[in-house]
Amino acid sequence: MTRRDYYEILGISRSATPEEIKKTYRQLALKYHPDRNPGDKEAEAHFKEAAEAYEVLRDPNKKRIYDQYGHEGLHGAGFEGFNNFDDIFSSFSDIFGEMFGFSPGRRSGRRRPSKGADLRYDATITLEDAAAGTELDLDIPRTETCEGCTGTGAEPGSSPERCSACGGKGQVYRSQGFFTISTTCPQCRGTGQYISNPCTTCKGSGKIVREKRLKVKIPPGVDTGATMRLTGEGEAGELGGPPGDLYVLIQVRPHDTFVRQGDNLYVEIPISFVQAALGTTIKVPSLNGEVDLEIKPGTQPNQVYTIKDQGIKHLRGGGKGALTVGIRVQIPTKLTREQEQLLRSFAETVKDTVKGSGKQKRNFFKGF
Ligand SMILES: [Zn+2]
Ligand SMILES: [Zn+2]
Protein backbone atom coordinates (compact mmCIF):
# COMPACT_ATOMS: atom_id res chain seq x y z
CA MET A 1 0.00 0.00 0.00
CA THR A 2 1.41 3.34 -0.94
CA ARG A 3 0.84 6.08 1.57
CA ARG A 4 0.29 9.66 0.72
CA ASP A 5 2.56 12.36 1.95
CA TYR A 6 1.26 13.88 5.17
CA TYR A 7 1.77 17.43 3.97
CA GLU A 8 -0.11 16.61 0.79
CA ILE A 9 -2.99 15.10 2.81
CA LEU A 10 -3.38 18.27 4.83
CA GLY A 11 -2.67 20.42 1.77
CA ILE A 12 0.05 22.45 3.45
CA SER A 13 3.67 23.23 2.75
CA ARG A 14 6.56 21.73 4.62
CA SER A 15 7.17 25.04 6.31
CA ALA A 16 3.65 25.32 7.77
CA THR A 17 3.52 26.57 11.35
CA PRO A 18 1.95 24.51 14.14
CA GLU A 19 -1.03 26.90 14.05
CA GLU A 20 -1.50 26.36 10.31
CA ILE A 21 -1.25 22.60 10.76
CA LYS A 22 -3.88 22.63 13.49
CA LYS A 23 -6.18 24.96 11.59
CA THR A 24 -5.99 22.90 8.40
CA TYR A 25 -6.61 19.68 10.24
CA ARG A 26 -9.57 21.19 12.05
CA GLN A 27 -11.12 22.12 8.72
CA LEU A 28 -10.60 18.66 7.24
CA ALA A 29 -11.87 16.94 10.38
CA LEU A 30 -15.00 19.07 10.20
CA LYS A 31 -15.49 18.31 6.52
CA TYR A 32 -15.02 14.55 6.80
CA HIS A 33 -16.44 14.04 10.29
CA PRO A 34 -18.38 10.73 10.38
CA ASP A 35 -21.38 12.47 11.98
CA ARG A 36 -21.68 14.67 8.92
CA ASN A 37 -20.99 11.90 6.40
CA PRO A 38 -22.88 8.88 7.69
CA GLY A 39 -22.03 5.69 5.83
CA ASP A 40 -19.62 7.47 3.45
CA LYS A 41 -16.58 5.18 3.21
CA GLU A 42 -14.56 7.70 1.26
CA ALA A 43 -15.11 10.43 3.83
CA GLU A 44 -14.18 7.96 6.52
CA ALA A 45 -10.88 7.20 4.78
CA HIS A 46 -10.13 10.91 4.43
CA PHE A 47 -11.01 11.46 8.06
CA LYS A 48 -8.61 8.75 9.23
CA GLU A 49 -5.87 9.83 6.86
CA ALA A 50 -6.06 13.43 8.05
CA ALA A 51 -6.00 12.35 11.70
CA GLU A 52 -2.87 10.31 11.11
CA ALA A 53 -1.16 13.17 9.29
CA TYR A 54 -2.06 15.58 12.07
CA GLU A 55 -0.94 13.17 14.78
CA VAL A 56 2.51 13.13 13.19
CA LEU A 57 2.89 16.76 12.14
CA ARG A 58 1.71 18.26 15.43
CA ASP A 59 4.34 16.30 17.37
CA PRO A 60 7.79 17.88 16.90
CA ASN A 61 9.50 14.55 17.51
CA LYS A 62 7.41 12.53 15.07
CA LYS A 63 7.51 15.39 12.57
CA ARG A 64 11.31 15.40 12.66
CA ILE A 65 11.45 11.65 12.07
CA TYR A 66 8.94 11.93 9.23
CA ASP A 67 10.74 14.89 7.61
CA GLN A 68 13.99 12.99 7.70
CA TYR A 69 13.01 9.38 7.07
CA GLY A 70 9.41 9.42 5.85
CA HIS A 71 6.81 6.74 6.58
CA GLU A 72 9.48 4.09 6.97
CA GLY A 73 11.16 6.01 9.76
CA LEU A 74 7.91 6.36 11.71
CA HIS A 75 7.19 2.71 11.29
CA GLY A 76 10.65 1.93 12.62
CA ALA A 77 9.99 4.20 15.60
CA GLY A 78 6.86 2.22 16.43
CA PHE A 79 4.22 4.67 15.21
CA GLU A 80 1.17 2.81 14.06
CA GLY A 81 -1.52 5.36 13.47
CA PHE A 82 -5.09 4.86 14.61
CA ASN A 83 -7.22 1.76 14.82
CA ASN A 84 -10.61 3.38 15.08
CA PHE A 85 -12.58 6.58 15.53
CA ASP A 86 -12.50 6.37 19.30
CA ASP A 87 -8.69 6.60 19.22
CA ILE A 88 -8.92 9.67 17.06
CA PHE A 89 -11.57 11.35 19.18
CA SER A 90 -9.72 10.72 22.41
CA SER A 91 -6.34 11.81 20.99
CA PHE A 92 -7.66 15.13 19.74
CA SER A 93 -10.29 15.71 22.37
CA ASP A 94 -9.07 19.31 22.56
CA ILE A 95 -10.11 19.90 18.96
CA PHE A 96 -13.29 17.84 18.92
CA GLY A 97 -14.34 18.92 22.37
CA GLU A 98 -14.09 22.60 21.46
CA MET A 99 -15.29 22.45 17.92
CA PHE A 100 -17.99 19.90 17.37
CA GLY A 101 -19.60 18.43 20.35
CA PHE A 102 -20.98 15.06 19.45
CA SER A 103 -24.38 13.81 18.61
CA PRO A 104 -25.18 12.07 21.88
CA GLY A 105 -26.51 8.95 20.20
CA ARG A 106 -23.25 8.32 18.52
CA ARG A 107 -20.70 9.39 21.05
CA SER A 108 -21.94 9.64 24.55
CA GLY A 109 -19.70 11.85 26.60
CA ARG A 110 -20.32 9.75 29.64
CA ARG A 111 -17.25 8.46 31.38
CA ARG A 112 -16.64 4.90 30.43
CA PRO A 113 -14.98 2.11 32.42
CA SER A 114 -11.22 2.54 32.21
CA LYS A 115 -8.18 0.67 33.35
CA GLY A 116 -6.72 1.61 36.74
CA ALA A 117 -3.35 3.29 37.14
CA ASP A 118 -0.15 1.26 37.08
CA LEU A 119 1.93 1.22 40.24
CA ARG A 120 5.69 1.13 40.61
CA TYR A 121 7.54 -0.40 43.52
CA ASP A 122 11.32 -0.20 43.97
CA ALA A 123 12.72 -3.29 45.64
CA THR A 124 16.34 -3.45 46.82
CA ILE A 125 17.76 -6.94 47.21
CA THR A 126 21.14 -8.36 48.21
CA LEU A 127 23.63 -9.81 45.77
CA GLU A 128 23.11 -13.20 47.41
CA ASP A 129 19.36 -13.02 46.71
CA ALA A 130 19.98 -11.84 43.17
CA ALA A 131 22.26 -14.82 42.59
CA ALA A 132 20.09 -17.48 44.18
CA GLY A 133 16.66 -16.01 43.40
CA THR A 134 14.22 -15.16 46.15
CA GLU A 135 10.64 -14.43 46.99
CA LEU A 136 9.73 -10.96 48.23
CA ASP A 137 6.79 -10.05 50.42
CA LEU A 138 5.69 -6.59 49.37
CA ASP A 139 3.12 -4.49 51.17
CA ILE A 140 1.56 -2.38 48.47
CA PRO A 141 -0.82 0.41 49.43
CA ARG A 142 -3.33 0.72 46.61
CA THR A 143 -6.91 1.54 45.88
CA GLU A 144 -9.25 -1.38 45.52
CA THR A 145 -12.84 -1.63 44.50
CA CYS A 146 -15.03 -1.24 47.60
CA GLU A 147 -16.54 -4.58 48.54
CA GLY A 148 -19.44 -2.97 50.38
CA CYS A 149 -20.91 -1.46 47.23
CA THR A 150 -18.91 -3.39 44.59
CA GLY A 151 -17.63 -0.07 43.32
CA THR A 152 -20.95 1.64 42.63
CA GLY A 153 -20.55 4.05 45.57
CA ALA A 154 -24.16 3.51 46.60
CA GLU A 155 -25.11 1.99 49.95
CA PRO A 156 -25.98 -1.73 49.56
CA GLY A 157 -29.68 -2.07 48.89
CA SER A 158 -29.79 1.22 47.03
CA SER A 159 -28.43 2.01 43.60
CA PRO A 160 -27.12 5.12 41.88
CA GLU A 161 -29.80 7.10 40.12
CA ARG A 162 -29.62 8.67 36.75
CA CYS A 163 -28.30 12.22 37.00
CA SER A 164 -31.15 14.65 36.50
CA ALA A 165 -28.99 17.46 35.15
CA CYS A 166 -27.65 15.54 32.14
CA GLY A 167 -30.17 12.74 31.92
CA GLY A 168 -27.39 10.23 32.59
CA LYS A 169 -25.24 11.27 29.65
CA GLY A 170 -22.46 12.78 31.75
CA GLN A 171 -22.27 15.76 29.41
CA VAL A 172 -24.40 18.80 28.97
CA TYR A 173 -24.90 20.32 25.53
CA ARG A 174 -25.34 23.84 24.44
CA SER A 175 -25.98 24.97 20.87
CA GLN A 176 -24.02 27.84 19.49
CA GLY A 177 -24.72 28.54 15.84
CA PHE A 178 -23.48 25.66 13.76
CA PHE A 179 -21.81 23.90 16.64
CA THR A 180 -22.99 22.07 19.67
CA ILE A 181 -20.68 22.58 22.59
CA SER A 182 -20.51 19.84 25.17
CA THR A 183 -19.07 20.06 28.65
CA THR A 184 -18.77 17.61 31.50
CA CYS A 185 -21.90 17.64 33.64
CA PRO A 186 -21.14 19.65 36.79
CA GLN A 187 -23.61 17.72 38.94
CA CYS A 188 -22.34 14.18 38.36
CA ARG A 189 -18.85 15.12 37.12
CA GLY A 190 -19.32 13.01 34.03
CA THR A 191 -20.47 9.76 35.62
CA GLY A 192 -24.09 10.22 34.54
CA GLN A 193 -25.13 9.00 37.96
CA TYR A 194 -26.27 10.59 41.15
CA ILE A 195 -25.85 8.83 44.49
CA SER A 196 -28.36 9.99 47.07
CA ASN A 197 -27.41 7.31 49.61
CA PRO A 198 -23.60 6.94 49.54
CA CYS A 199 -21.92 3.72 50.67
CA THR A 200 -20.73 4.10 54.28
CA THR A 201 -17.60 2.00 53.72
CA CYS A 202 -16.12 4.12 50.92
CA LYS A 203 -18.16 7.31 51.42
CA GLY A 204 -19.48 7.01 47.91
CA SER A 205 -16.16 6.86 46.05
CA GLY A 206 -16.52 3.18 45.21
CA LYS A 207 -12.91 2.62 46.23
CA ILE A 208 -10.94 2.02 49.39
CA VAL A 209 -7.22 2.31 50.03
CA ARG A 210 -5.79 -0.88 51.38
CA GLU A 211 -2.34 -2.32 51.87
CA LYS A 212 -2.04 -5.60 50.13
CA ARG A 213 0.68 -8.13 50.76
CA LEU A 214 1.96 -9.65 47.54
CA LYS A 215 4.52 -12.36 46.95
CA VAL A 216 6.90 -11.68 44.10
CA LYS A 217 9.18 -14.37 42.77
CA ILE A 218 12.61 -13.04 41.83
CA PRO A 219 14.41 -15.42 39.47
CA PRO A 220 18.11 -16.15 39.99
CA GLY A 221 20.39 -13.93 37.91
CA VAL A 222 18.46 -10.65 38.07
CA ASP A 223 20.43 -7.43 38.06
CA THR A 224 19.70 -3.79 38.80
CA GLY A 225 17.15 -2.46 36.32
CA ALA A 226 15.20 -5.71 35.98
CA THR A 227 11.43 -5.19 36.07
CA MET A 228 8.75 -7.66 37.11
CA ARG A 229 5.23 -6.97 35.94
CA LEU A 230 2.33 -8.19 38.05
CA THR A 231 -0.70 -7.99 35.86
CA GLY A 232 -3.81 -6.65 37.55
CA GLU A 233 -2.09 -5.73 40.83
CA GLY A 234 -2.18 -1.96 40.29
CA GLU A 235 -4.88 0.53 41.23
CA ALA A 236 -8.55 -0.35 40.80
CA GLY A 237 -10.13 0.63 37.49
CA GLU A 238 -12.73 3.35 37.01
CA LEU A 239 -16.39 2.38 36.83
CA GLY A 240 -15.71 -1.34 36.84
CA GLY A 241 -12.76 -1.19 34.43
CA PRO A 242 -9.86 -3.61 34.94
CA PRO A 243 -7.16 -2.76 37.49
CA GLY A 244 -3.75 -1.46 36.41
CA ASP A 245 -0.52 -3.40 36.71
CA LEU A 246 2.20 -3.36 39.32
CA TYR A 247 5.79 -2.97 38.18
CA VAL A 248 8.49 -4.06 40.59
CA LEU A 249 11.85 -2.48 39.78
CA ILE A 250 14.85 -4.38 41.08
CA GLN A 251 17.90 -2.72 42.54
CA VAL A 252 20.78 -4.95 43.66
CA ARG A 253 22.69 -3.54 46.64
CA PRO A 254 26.49 -3.29 46.25
CA HIS A 255 28.30 -6.09 48.06
CA ASP A 256 31.07 -5.68 50.65
CA THR A 257 33.28 -8.36 49.13
CA PHE A 258 32.30 -8.88 45.52
CA VAL A 259 32.00 -6.53 42.60
CA ARG A 260 29.46 -7.71 40.06
CA GLN A 261 30.51 -7.49 36.43
CA GLY A 262 27.57 -8.80 34.42
CA ASP A 263 27.26 -12.40 35.53
CA ASN A 264 30.86 -12.53 36.75
CA LEU A 265 31.97 -11.66 40.25
CA TYR A 266 35.27 -10.00 41.02
CA VAL A 267 37.15 -10.23 44.29
CA GLU A 268 40.61 -8.96 45.24
CA ILE A 269 42.85 -11.15 47.41
CA PRO A 270 46.15 -10.09 49.01
CA ILE A 271 49.04 -12.58 49.09
CA SER A 272 52.62 -12.09 50.23
CA PHE A 273 55.46 -11.61 47.74
CA VAL A 274 56.88 -14.93 48.93
CA GLN A 275 53.61 -16.72 48.15
CA ALA A 276 53.57 -15.03 44.77
CA ALA A 277 57.12 -16.16 44.05
CA LEU A 278 56.88 -19.72 45.38
CA GLY A 279 53.19 -20.51 44.73
CA THR A 280 50.61 -21.67 47.27
CA THR A 281 46.97 -22.59 47.70
CA ILE A 282 44.69 -19.92 49.16
CA LYS A 283 41.09 -19.80 50.30
CA VAL A 284 38.92 -17.49 48.21
CA PRO A 285 35.43 -16.38 49.30
CA SER A 286 32.60 -17.20 46.92
CA LEU A 287 28.83 -16.92 47.19
CA ASN A 288 28.82 -20.62 48.06
CA GLY A 289 31.44 -20.49 50.82
CA GLU A 290 35.23 -20.62 50.48
CA VAL A 291 36.89 -22.30 47.53
CA ASP A 292 40.54 -23.32 47.06
CA LEU A 293 42.63 -21.50 44.50
CA GLU A 294 46.06 -22.64 43.45
CA ILE A 295 48.50 -19.76 43.08
CA LYS A 296 51.21 -20.69 40.61
CA PRO A 297 54.88 -19.93 41.38
CA GLY A 298 55.87 -16.65 39.76
CA THR A 299 52.47 -15.02 40.04
CA GLN A 300 52.65 -11.32 39.20
CA PRO A 301 50.97 -8.36 40.91
CA ASN A 302 47.46 -7.75 39.51
CA GLN A 303 47.42 -11.14 37.83
CA VAL A 304 43.87 -12.44 37.50
CA TYR A 305 42.73 -15.99 38.14
CA THR A 306 39.38 -17.24 36.93
CA ILE A 307 37.31 -19.79 38.81
CA LYS A 308 34.59 -21.10 36.54
CA ASP A 309 30.92 -21.43 37.56
CA GLN A 310 31.32 -19.47 40.81
CA GLY A 311 29.62 -16.38 39.42
CA ILE A 312 25.94 -15.54 38.95
CA LYS A 313 23.51 -17.76 37.08
CA HIS A 314 22.65 -16.49 33.62
CA LEU A 315 19.10 -15.14 33.72
CA ARG A 316 18.39 -16.62 30.31
CA GLY A 317 19.80 -19.98 29.36
CA GLY A 318 21.76 -22.29 31.60
CA GLY A 319 25.17 -21.92 33.16
CA LYS A 320 26.84 -19.45 35.44
CA GLY A 321 29.38 -16.69 35.24
CA ALA A 322 32.86 -16.96 36.73
CA LEU A 323 34.56 -15.69 39.84
CA THR A 324 37.61 -13.65 38.87
CA VAL A 325 40.27 -13.16 41.49
CA GLY A 326 42.62 -10.21 41.28
CA ILE A 327 45.92 -10.88 43.06
CA ARG A 328 47.37 -8.09 45.17
CA VAL A 329 50.98 -8.83 46.05
CA GLN A 330 51.96 -7.35 49.39
CA ILE A 331 55.49 -6.25 50.31
CA PRO A 332 56.34 -6.38 54.03
CA THR A 333 56.93 -2.99 55.62
CA LYS A 334 58.83 -4.36 58.63
CA LEU A 335 61.40 -7.18 58.68
CA THR A 336 63.06 -8.98 61.57
CA ARG A 337 66.88 -9.00 61.57
CA GLU A 338 66.82 -12.63 60.44
CA GLN A 339 64.39 -11.95 57.59
CA GLU A 340 66.49 -9.02 56.46
CA GLN A 341 69.63 -11.19 56.41
CA LEU A 342 67.86 -13.83 54.36
CA LEU A 343 66.70 -11.25 51.86
CA ARG A 344 70.19 -9.76 51.57
CA SER A 345 71.53 -13.21 50.85
CA PHE A 346 68.84 -13.59 48.24
CA ALA A 347 69.79 -10.26 46.73
CA GLU A 348 73.42 -11.46 46.44
CA THR A 349 72.33 -14.53 44.50
CA VAL A 350 70.52 -12.48 41.90
CA LYS A 351 73.16 -9.70 41.96
CA ASP A 352 70.56 -7.12 42.88
CA THR A 353 71.77 -3.82 44.16
CA VAL A 354 70.11 -3.09 47.48
CA LYS A 355 70.43 -0.31 49.99
CA GLY A 356 73.26 -0.71 52.51
CA SER A 357 75.02 -3.56 50.66
CA GLY A 358 78.03 -1.51 49.50
CA LYS A 359 77.46 -3.01 46.09
CA GLN A 360 75.54 0.05 45.03
CA LYS A 361 78.77 2.12 45.18
CA ARG A 362 80.82 -0.48 43.32
CA ASN A 363 78.38 -0.60 40.48
CA PHE A 364 78.34 3.14 40.32
CA PHE A 365 82.13 3.41 39.84
CA LYS A 366 82.25 0.46 37.46
CA GLY A 367 80.65 2.62 34.87
CA PHE A 368 83.62 5.02 34.75
ZN1 LIG B 1 -18.50 1.43 48.89
ZN1 LIG C 1 -24.96 14.63 35.21
Side-chain angles (χ1 to χ4, degrees), residues 146-154 199-208:
C146 172
E147 287 145 5
C149 61
T150 63
T152 63
C199 166
T200 44
T201 314
C202 63
K203 298 186 177 62
S205 69
K207 289 177 188 174
I208 45 170

Side-chain angles (χ1 to χ4, degrees), residues 148-169:
C149 61
T150 63
T152 63
E155 183 68 4
S158 73
S159 51
E161 294 131 50
R162 176 185 280 210
C163 171
S164 57
C166 61
K169 294 184 195 86

Side-chain angles (χ1 to χ4, degrees), residues 222-255:
V222 293
D223 203 350
T224 294
T227 308
M228 317 280 141
R229 176 176 160 189
L230 280 76
T231 309
E233 299 291 1
E235 303 267 37
E238 291 288 338
L239 302 174
D245 301 328
L246 170 67
Y247 290 87
V248 179
L249 269 74
I250 301 296
Q251 172 98 36
V252 180
R253 197 176 295 141
H255 198 273

Side-chain angles (χ1 to χ4, degrees), residues 163-171 185-193:
C163 171
S164 57
C166 61
K169 294 184 195 86
Q171 303 260 302
C185 172
Q187 181 170 303
C188 63
R189 290 194 302 261
T191 61
Q193 294 178 333

